[in-house]
Amino acid sequence: MFKDTLLYIVKQLVDNQDKVVINELVGEQHLTYEIKVDPSDLGKVIGKQGRTINALRVLIRAVSNKHGKKAEVNVIEA
Amino acid sequence: MSNGNNQKNTKMQEVQVKDFLMEFIPELFKNMGEDVHVRVSKEIDTMFVSVELDDPAVYIGKSGECLASLQFIINMILQRKEWNAVRITLDIGGYKRRQIDILKNIAQNAALKVRRFGRPVELQPMSAFARRIIHTTLKDNPSVFTHSIDEEPRRRVVVDLRK
């Protein structure tokens, strides 16, 4: 549902845009997102003390909530 | 001379950032199924970006949490693009404008109280952004001055009588 949104933002944050892959799992009440980026870009998506990934989580949770769903967003090394 | 170059550089970045934001923000919201109207205006130490849409509450969030996250993400992107001279202040549905008005009121009331009772007034803990509004509101006030005490997340402004 918000795969494109995440992809759109994450691509702006990383150096290796073509390495960004987002997996989306749509459940009845849950949305799960797995962001895969190049190892050298991990820090850029996570941010200092996780501030960037947390900001992404807040945003995705907010829009998911609008559609009555809970969302989880995680980052992994590609 | 280098200062002149810096100014020119900043000016150039501001134009680039504005162009980028006018494209990026509507596209971002379109991705989330929203039609938005964006306005960018240059302020003294920030670019004020206001976004208007039908249902702003979702993107403002509890105590402006979602708005703060969006602002953080956008500023992060600007840094990635090496537009380091520019920071944005994001507003959605006029939320921040209202917050600023409330904070200005708090500042003026505290100043009145300090003058009336001749004692310092300690305000509630606030974000760096909120504290800055208090400081700037009272910086030219002839009878009081402001400073901050304690550490995050309990950092707060004290308004005191100018000696």
Side-chain angles (χ1 to χ4, degrees):
Chain A
M1 289 178 76
F2 305 108
K3 187 178 164 175
D4 289 345
T5 308
L6 268 174
L7 200 63
Y8 187 61
I9 298 173
V10 173
K11 280 195 172 179
Q12 299 283 347
L13 291 167
V14 300
D15 290 329
N16 305 286
Q17 304 197 340
D18 48 337
K19 292 276 183 63
V20 181
V21 176
I22 299 189
N23 291 321
E24 181 183 49
L25 222 95
V26 182
E28 217 162 283
Q29 290 168 31
H30 281 85
L31 295 169
T32 310
Y33 294 93
E34 209 175 59
I35 306 171
K36 280 188 198 175
V37 294
D38 188 86
S40 65
D41 284 325
L42 265 183
K44 295 177 190 107
V45 179
I46 294 168
K48 273 184 205 144
Q49 290 161 337
R51 284 191 69 187
T52 307
I53 184 65
N54 279 333
L56 285 170
R57 284 181 180 131
V58 169
L59 175 66
I60 297 300
R61 276 191 209 128
V63 284
S64 303
N65 191 37
K66 192 185 173 182
H67 293 80
K69 289 181 194 287
K70 299 226 180 285
E72 193 183 317
V73 181
N74 293 312
V75 191
I76 56 169
E77 236 174 90
Chain B
M1 167 124 174
S2 78
N3 192 26
N5 269 338
N6 277 340
Q7 273 177 17
K8 208 170 135 194
N9 205 357
T10 304
K11 200 103 217 119
M12 215 169 73
Q13 278 192 22
E14 280 165 9
V15 173
Q16 289 171 336
V17 166
K18 187 175 173 177
D19 285 349
F20 170 76
L21 294 172
M22 294 303 279
E23 195 181 310
F24 177 76
I25 296 176
E27 187 63 29
L28 173 65
F29 277 91
K30 208 173 110 192
N31 259 310
M32 300 186 284
E34 307 283 358
D35 213 10
V36 300
H37 181 75
V38 182
R39 220 174 45 230
V40 180
S41 56
K42 168 85 189 87
E43 296 203 348
I44 299 161
D45 52 0
T46 187
M47 283 179 85
F48 200 90
V49 182
S50 45
V51 176
E52 297 293 339
L53 73 162
D54 281 342
D55 185 13
V58 174
Y59 303 93
I60 295 166
K62 233 185 246 168
S63 320
E65 191 196 19
C66 194
L67 171 57
S69 292
L70 267 166
Q71 177 178 303
F72 182 81
I73 292 167
I74 295 169
N75 275 321
M76 239 22 237
I77 292 171
L78 299 185
Q79 273 187 47
R80 286 277 159 267
K81 296 188 179 294
E82 314 252 308
W83 288 322
N84 296 310
V86 186
R87 279 294 172 92
I88 67 142
T89 303
L90 183 68
D91 197 4
I92 298 178
Y95 175 84
K96 210 161 264 178
R97 283 268 177 242
R98 288 192 296 278
Q99 288 303 109
I100 292 170
D101 285 346
I102 291 167
L103 288 164
K104 282 181 177 167
N105 251 318
I106 291 173
Q108 297 296 0
N109 283 334
L112 279 176
K113 226 164 143 185
V114 170
R115 273 176 58 190
R116 189 172 303 148
F117 300 112
R119 280 190 272 118
V121 166
E122 207 177 293
L123 300 177
Q124 293 293 315
M126 289 173 187
S127 68
F129 171 78
R131 293 197 306 270
R132 197 147 57 93
I133 305 289
I134 305 283
H135 291 309
T136 39
T137 306
L138 296 178
K139 84 172 157 32
D140 295 323
N141 188 308
S143 42
V144 301
F145 73 100
T146 58
H147 62 104
S148 293
I149 58 164
D150 216 345
E151 299 302 322
E152 299 287 359
R154 296 270 314 149
R155 198 155 169 80
R156 53 202 185 272
V157 178
V158 177
V159 185
D160 204 351
L161 215 52
R162 229 185 253 273
K163 298 278 159 15

